[in-house]
Amino acid sequence: MTSPKPTDKVVINRLRTGVPGLDEVLGGGLPEFSFNLIAGPPGCGKTTLAHQMMFALATAERPALYFTVLGEPPLKMLRYQQQFDYFDSEAVNQSIRYINLADATQAGDLDEVLRRIVAEVEKHGPSLVFVDSFRSVVLASQTQSNPNNNLPQFVQQLGMLMTTWQATTFLIGEYFSETDSNPIFTVADGLIWLRQSVLRNSMVRKMEVMKMRGQPTLPGLHSFRIGQAGIRVFAPATAPGNTPRQEPSRRLSSGVPALDDMLGGGIPAGYSLLVAGPSGSGKSILAAAFLAEGARVGEKGVIAVFEQRADRLQNPMLSALIDEHMVTLVDSRAPDLSIDEIIHLLLAEIKRVGANRVVIDSLSGFELSLAPTFREDFRSSLASLVSALAATGVTVLMTSELEDRYTDLRFSPYGTAFLTDAIIVQRYVEIDSQLLRVMAVVKVRASAHSDQLRQYRIDDQGIQLGETLAGHEGLLSASPRRVLGAAALGAEL
């Protein structure tokens, strides 16, 4: 028997950054002893990101040095950083030390800056080194006529020394374009670029890991938010273990027995149902009935409300379910939401309470809650939302506001009806000078369903389904102008 051949592979330890979502974007964490650049324009969160990682990583066994140069002095920087939850005053001057290099930087001599950094590193033996702002070092050297200033050589020496000392290093700098010709972009092992954009009164922050040697990072721009806890990155939601699609033989009641019959026995478990209709047609009432029926059989629910404030919920049944902790309300008041942020909020609540039923009320309000930059491709955003929720195995009911057009039957203003497994349409028709509500089941994937147009009314008990429109044929034929709504609806279905 031959013995296995030894391997020459080196296993690189990955450090947990302490920034929610960032480790996932990085491909599992930050490579230990790596030489990294955190870049972006002023105000985008570079210093906050650096401090959040430093306070998460620094320990007595793994101390950190934070060099400040021509940017903010340490006292001013600390005053603002103390506002965040991650800040630990006991760590300052213990596992974390601040050193001001302003004098050496203003002299514009890169050799002197490097000498100061080397002296402090040799004195304290840190495992983590931060230089903020490195851009200031570069600009100061460029304004001098010192012929010994060699920026490429300085960067190369700094990176080599830090790796030799087994220190994980972060250079924080103000850069406005990743296309700038800069030797540090080549020397750095990791390049984290922060962006921020303003559209009308909307501010959106995004992060891109442009480079991280030896790691399968998540490509693309990832939105992030700066809050009391610091930075949170919203990486694309992934399917939890590829949850298999449940068989449509298991049905959930909608909370309206007659509607269950129209659906072919209820809503197939794990399906996404779109309820589309004009204002006042009872979409939210049906959504509340769906959650109430789940609570009656012991199934918890989650509802994301985008059209009315949480403290103004007008449905007493839904308010009672929330008070009884059978339904959890997701009501983010944060401005400029991204689709990934909303998905993370929903998935977190679904996991926390073990929900079986989810309601999105409504897609119209959902679109308006997004930052303008995310509304440009709302169809793709909805596809991501439906896919992420479907992967959890929950049954989803979404409402969609439709302009009531008697000659046009549309299921969604976004052209997304194909994304859902089932569709219910609510409409208004005029019969004998009376405005009536009608409902139809347009689609239930892989299942037989009713093709009838049923009248319904709304009372204190909720939605009450009545007779079909067939009983009004005589009345309809008497008035061509009143036929239009019902006839067009029937023809389109």
Side-chain angles (χ1 to χ4, degrees), residues 67 132 135 152 163 191 215 321 377 423 446 474 480:
F67 292 98
D132 186 4
R135 178 74 164 175
T163 303
L191 178 53
Q215 300 225 149
L321 292 173
D377 193 11
I423 300 173

Side-chain angles (χ1 to χ4, degrees), residues 133-204:
S133 153
F134 179 75
R135 178 74 164 175
S136 300
V137 177
V138 175
L139 292 178
S141 69
Q142 291 176 343
T143 59
Q144 305 299 319
S145 58
N146 187 343
N148 295 324
N149 278 354
N150 187 324
L151 181 59
Q153 179 179 333
F154 172 83
V155 172
Q156 201 165 31
Q157 286 180 338
L158 182 61
M160 182 177 63
L161 287 171
M162 292 303 172
T163 303
T164 302
W165 287 321
Q166 294 190 331
T168 306
T169 308
F170 302 85
L171 307 185
I172 298 96
E174 291 183 356
Y175 293 92
F176 295 87
S177 174
E178 59 271 27
T179 60
D180 291 344
S181 177
N182 196 306
I184 192 174
F185 295 167
T186 303
V187 175
D189 301 312
L191 178 53
I192 301 175
W193 207 282
L194 307 186
R195 295 174 171 86
Q196 61 182 4
S197 60
V198 178
L199 182 59
R200 296 192 288 273
N201 292 326
S202 172
M203 165 72 79
V204 175

